[in-house]
Amino acid sequence: MVGYTRAKGRSDFAATTDYGVCASRHLKYFGYKLVLLCTPAEVPAAYDLVPASTDERVAGEQVLAWVWQARILGDKGFLGADWQQGYRETWGLEILPPARTNQRTARPAGVQRWLNRLRERIEGAFHEVQNTGRHLEHLTCRTLRGLSTHVAAKMASHALKLLLRRQAGIDVRTFTVTV
């Protein structure tokens, strides 16, 4: 992301991106958004960088194209019975977005709590990818290729960190072995 005060015409990314809105932080920004699909074990499965103005559903289609016959926990941007039905029929994907506060859900309370715990875990993975090392929002990349390379390196390092922690018991922050 690039701060809103920076002129769009002066950016190195002016030809490939646009302004977008982050509703959760009440922020208008210029740049890209990272669309990430990860497993419940927090491993990145697919990701894409899209212009900030891209609708969440359109952005999600890029990463959902890699998956079929699965249940996907999504953001509130994936609400919509017709859109969800299309994915269910075409790809066998069951999209499970959180319910809005004023929306009646057909899910039992226990199932909703379980889904909320899974969402927290996945949000934690996204937070860790974004905030570990150099923060994605504060990069000084000058080209789309440089930004893409940096994001790919962050995804690979996150996956390697998870592998070392789970398979070898190595905490990469302290380089201690937990047995």
Side-chain angles (χ1 to χ4, degrees), residues 92 119 166:
R119 276 188 55 76
R166 293 188 179 132

Side-chain angles (χ1 to χ4, degrees), residues 20-64:
V21 177
C22 177
S24 64
R25 295 191 294 175
H26 307 289
L27 173 73
K28 189 168 184 179
Y29 64 96
F30 180 74
Y32 297 91
K33 68 170 90 170
L34 176 65
V35 182
L36 175 64
L37 179 69
C38 69
T39 68
E42 304 174 17
V43 177
Y47 66 93
D48 195 12
L49 279 174
V50 297
S53 61
T54 306
D55 180 69
E56 282 194 35
R57 292 180 185 181
V58 174
E61 290 171 0
Q62 300 295 320
V63 296
L64 291 176

Side-chain angles (χ1 to χ4, degrees), residues 3-103:
Y4 181 64
T5 56
R6 185 174 175 183
K8 178 167 87 170
R10 295 178 49 110
S11 170
D12 300 323
F13 301 112
T16 59
T17 190
D18 205 352
Y19 288 99
V21 177
C22 177
S24 64
R25 295 191 294 175
H26 307 289
L27 173 73
K28 189 168 184 179
Y29 64 96
F30 180 74
Y32 297 91
K33 68 170 90 170
L34 176 65
V35 182
L36 175 64
L37 179 69
C38 69
T39 68
E42 304 174 17
V43 177
Y47 66 93
D48 195 12
L49 279 174
V50 297
S53 61
T54 306
D55 180 69
E56 282 194 35
R57 292 180 185 181
V58 174
E61 290 171 0
Q62 300 295 320
V63 296
L64 291 176
W66 292 92
V67 183
W68 54 90
Q69 299 293 326
R71 288 191 177 120
I72 306 292
L73 299 179
D75 288 335
K76 289 182 182 177
F78 296 105
L79 285 169
D82 293 339
W83 186 81
Q84 291 175 8
Q85 182 67 25
Y87 266 92
R88 190 175 304 116
E89 291 172 357
T90 307
W91 300 101
L93 295 177
E94 185 178 357
I95 311 284
L96 302 168
R100 295 185 191 267
T101 54
N102 63 351
Q103 178 183 357

Side-chain angles (χ1 to χ4, degrees), residues 106-179:
R107 298 181 192 132
V111 171
Q112 191 60 45
R113 281 193 300 274
W114 177 73
L115 288 173
N116 289 343
R117 282 196 305 269
L118 276 177
R119 276 188 55 76
E120 286 176 12
R121 182 191 255 165
I122 292 167
E123 289 290 334
F126 192 85
H127 185 276
E128 190 171 335
V129 164
Q130 185 177 10
N131 296 317
T132 303
R134 297 213 34 216
H135 196 288
L136 284 177
E137 292 182 10
H138 301 114
L139 295 178
T140 56
C141 301
R142 296 193 181 275
T143 64
L144 182 56
R145 174 183 252 166
L147 178 62
S148 300
T149 302
H150 190 84
V151 170
K154 282 191 80 79
M155 293 299 167
S157 72
H158 178 70
L160 180 61
K161 181 171 42 173
L162 291 172
L163 177 74
L164 289 172
R165 187 182 313 149
R166 293 188 179 132
Q167 298 295 323
I170 298 172
D171 183 358
V172 295
R173 290 174 291 176
T174 60
F175 291 105
T176 57
V177 177
T178 58
V179 180

